[in-house]
Amino acid sequence: MGTQETRQTQESYEPGRGTGRRALLGAAVLGAGGAVLGLPAAARADERHGGGGYQSLPKPTVIGHRGASGYRPEHTFGSYELALDLGAHVVEAGDLVPTKDGHLVCRHEPEIGGTTDVSAHPEFADRKTTKTLDGVATTGWFTEDFTLAELKTLRAVERIPATRQRNTIYNGRWEIPTFEEVLRWQDEQTRKRGRQVWIYPETKHPTYFRKLGLGLEERVAKLLRKYGKDKKNSPVIIQSFEPSSIQRLNKLVGNPLVVLLSAAGTRPWDFVEAGDPRTVADLVKPEGLEWIASYAQGIGPTLDLVIPKDASGNLTTPTTLVADAHDAGLILHPYTMRNENTFLPTNFKKGTDANAYGDVFGAFKAYFGTGIDGVFSDNADTALLARADFLNG
């Protein structure tokens, strides 16, 4: 890599240096201006949102899933800033996994073979290994086997290139951000944009990492305290698929907390490890939701828990989850809305190309109609237009 290219890559990941202009240009090309300008007056009026805690966020809340991962490699400052440029109310920055020397970095999984260029680094060829991650044999390169300095020599790449080939032109542009860099970036973006920027980090595989002596919750809490973001009204919502991680965080910080819920028949991995027989189907019952509400403020269910699909993949009748969660005092931020046919219910697919965009606005209408409080989306501009349609009736 030449000197100029190296400098440009470094500038593009560093908070406040380059990403904003490039992302804004990308947003213009994508028609993102329409997403913001098309909002109804009520939505525009709440632009300076979030000053009074999570309940003051606009509803339904649009959460940029790993940033703007429909358009940029996920969990990069390019993706995060584009999500803000597109108008996302909150940015999921990021999925937190530790390094060998105890730093928290933002990657979808601890295995980084699919989200970085590590396989192109011969100096790390001997780090490739197979580990059992939450009961599943996984082969690749793992963040806990690298120091932060080593990870900083890698660059992010598109995670699903077969589906999002256009995103691959950005491969190699951005480094792996640390959570501490994200917290500083959040403050800078808040000043720059004149509104409070919210983030929504997740503790990934906390039981797995605690067994390795790399407990996540204490590290998250320490950084939040360092930056004064560990309070009830702090603009940081923390989520996890493991209830015990949220329970632990509830004792360490005052932040709003959310329990993520996968498919109904699955069990959280910490339940498996502890011998707890409950499944997600148990947790979405009123008594399960009351239990979650004793230590958390919300749930992040898969969309199928809100509206199940039939055997053909078509949406059926909504469940009572929204009403039951609200009765328990919980907010709901289900995941994940994406524009491509391959991710949409069968009755909202268009044409035969799995990678083409389907009737995503129809799908948004169905999900927003259930009364959810927000949604994770890879395409914040699309989500905001759908939200405007919904608010306009």
Side-chain angles (χ1 to χ4, degrees):
M1 184 181 291
T3 304
Q4 183 179 10
E5 186 177 358
T6 302
R7 176 171 53 81
Q8 290 174 339
T9 302
Q10 290 172 339
E11 288 180 355
S12 64
Y13 99 88
E14 290 172 0
R17 297 188 63 188
T19 38
R21 285 193 297 274
R22 273 191 293 274
L24 193 56
L25 287 172
V29 171
L30 292 162
V36 177
L37 296 176
L39 290 177
R44 289 197 301 271
D46 63 25
E47 202 169 84
R48 296 175 64 87
H49 58 260
Y54 75 96
Q55 291 285 14
S56 68
L57 287 167
K59 291 186 180 181
T61 308
V62 171
I63 304 153
H65 186 234
R66 306 172 199 162
S69 52
Y71 311 118
R72 299 288 188 272
E74 63 192 31
H75 287 313
T76 60
F77 281 118
S79 183
Y80 297 159
E81 290 198 15
L82 180 54
L84 292 178
D85 290 338
L86 294 175
H89 303 130
V90 182
V91 179
E92 189 191 30
D95 293 334
L96 303 181
V97 292
T99 65
K100 184 178 182 178
D101 47 350
H103 296 275
L104 294 177
V105 296
C106 303
R107 287 292 86 192
H108 172 50
E109 291 288 341
E111 198 290 300
I112 55 173
T115 61
T116 73
D117 61 358
V118 65
S119 63
H121 286 252
E123 68 273 24
F124 299 135
D126 61 348
R127 306 281 178 94
K128 189 174 185 180
T129 186
T130 299
K131 300 189 180 190
T132 300
L133 186 63
D134 291 3
V136 178
T138 305
T139 300
W141 292 263
F142 295 80
T143 58
E144 67 267 24
D145 295 331
F146 292 77
T147 64
L148 178 59
E150 289 173 330
L151 285 180
K152 282 295 188 180
T153 68
L154 307 180
R155 295 295 182 271
V157 301
E158 171 57 39
R159 184 177 62 87
I160 47 174
T163 300
R164 293 171 174 168
Q165 190 274 332
R166 292 180 179 180
N167 294 7
T168 63
I169 67 170
Y170 302 105
N171 286 355
R173 183 168 291 270
W174 291 288
E175 291 185 1
I176 298 174
T178 68
F179 187 45
E180 185 160 19
E181 288 170 342
V182 164
L183 292 172
R184 294 200 299 262
W185 168 87
Q186 179 187 23
D187 289 339
E188 182 191 78
Q189 292 296 314
T190 294
R191 292 191 298 269
K192 174 183 174 182
R193 297 171 188 269
R195 67 174 178 89
Q196 179 60 62
V197 168
W198 278 71
I199 61 172
Y200 210 134
E202 175 186 344
T203 58
K204 300 289 290 192
H205 306 287
T207 296
Y208 168 82
F209 283 118
R210 186 162 292 278
K211 283 187 169 183
L212 296 179
L214 293 168
L216 299 179
E217 295 82 8
E218 294 82 5
R219 288 173 167 81
V220 170
K222 182 178 180 180
L223 285 172
L224 291 176
R225 285 194 294 268
K226 178 178 178 180
Y227 289 88
K229 299 179 182 182
D230 60 330
K231 308 297 191 298
K232 176 183 177 180
N233 289 338
S234 295
V236 182
I237 305 171
I238 312 173
Q239 57 184 329
S240 182
F241 278 101
E242 296 190 13
S244 62
S245 181
I246 296 301
Q247 289 175 312
R248 184 172 279 111
L249 283 163
N250 184 48
K251 297 177 180 178
L252 295 172
V253 296
N255 300 73
L257 304 172
V258 168
V259 174
L260 297 169
L261 299 169
S262 190
T266 64
R267 292 164 68 198
W269 185 251
D270 55 338
F271 283 19
V272 175
E273 289 274 349
D276 188 326
R278 289 178 296 173
T279 66
V280 169
D282 296 312
L283 296 183
V284 296
K285 294 176 181 177
E287 56 268 30
L289 295 169
E290 290 288 348
W291 177 72
I292 291 174
S294 69
Y295 57 86
Q297 285 68 49
I299 57 172
T302 177
L303 287 163
D304 288 347
L305 293 174
V306 178
I307 309 180
K309 299 187 185 81
D310 62 20
S312 298
N314 296 297
L315 290 188
T316 60
T317 303
T319 67
T320 61
L321 178 59
V322 174
D324 292 342
H326 286 165
D327 285 346
L330 297 167
I331 59 169
L332 294 89
H333 291 157
Y335 65 93
T336 304
M337 284 297 295
R338 300 176 169 105
N339 288 358
E340 294 89 356
N341 278 321
T342 190
F343 303 114
L344 290 172
T346 300
N347 45 325
F348 295 102
K349 298 179 189 294
K350 294 175 68 175
T352 57
D353 183 354
N355 299 327
Y357 283 6
D359 178 20
V360 68
F361 289 107
F364 268 114
K365 182 179 180 180
Y367 290 119
F368 281 149
T370 65
I372 58 176
D373 299 285
V375 67
F376 287 82
S377 177
D378 287 9
N379 311 86
D381 51 348
T382 306
L384 284 161
L385 282 171
R387 176 180 183 270
D389 291 344
F390 174 72
L391 293 177
N392 282 328

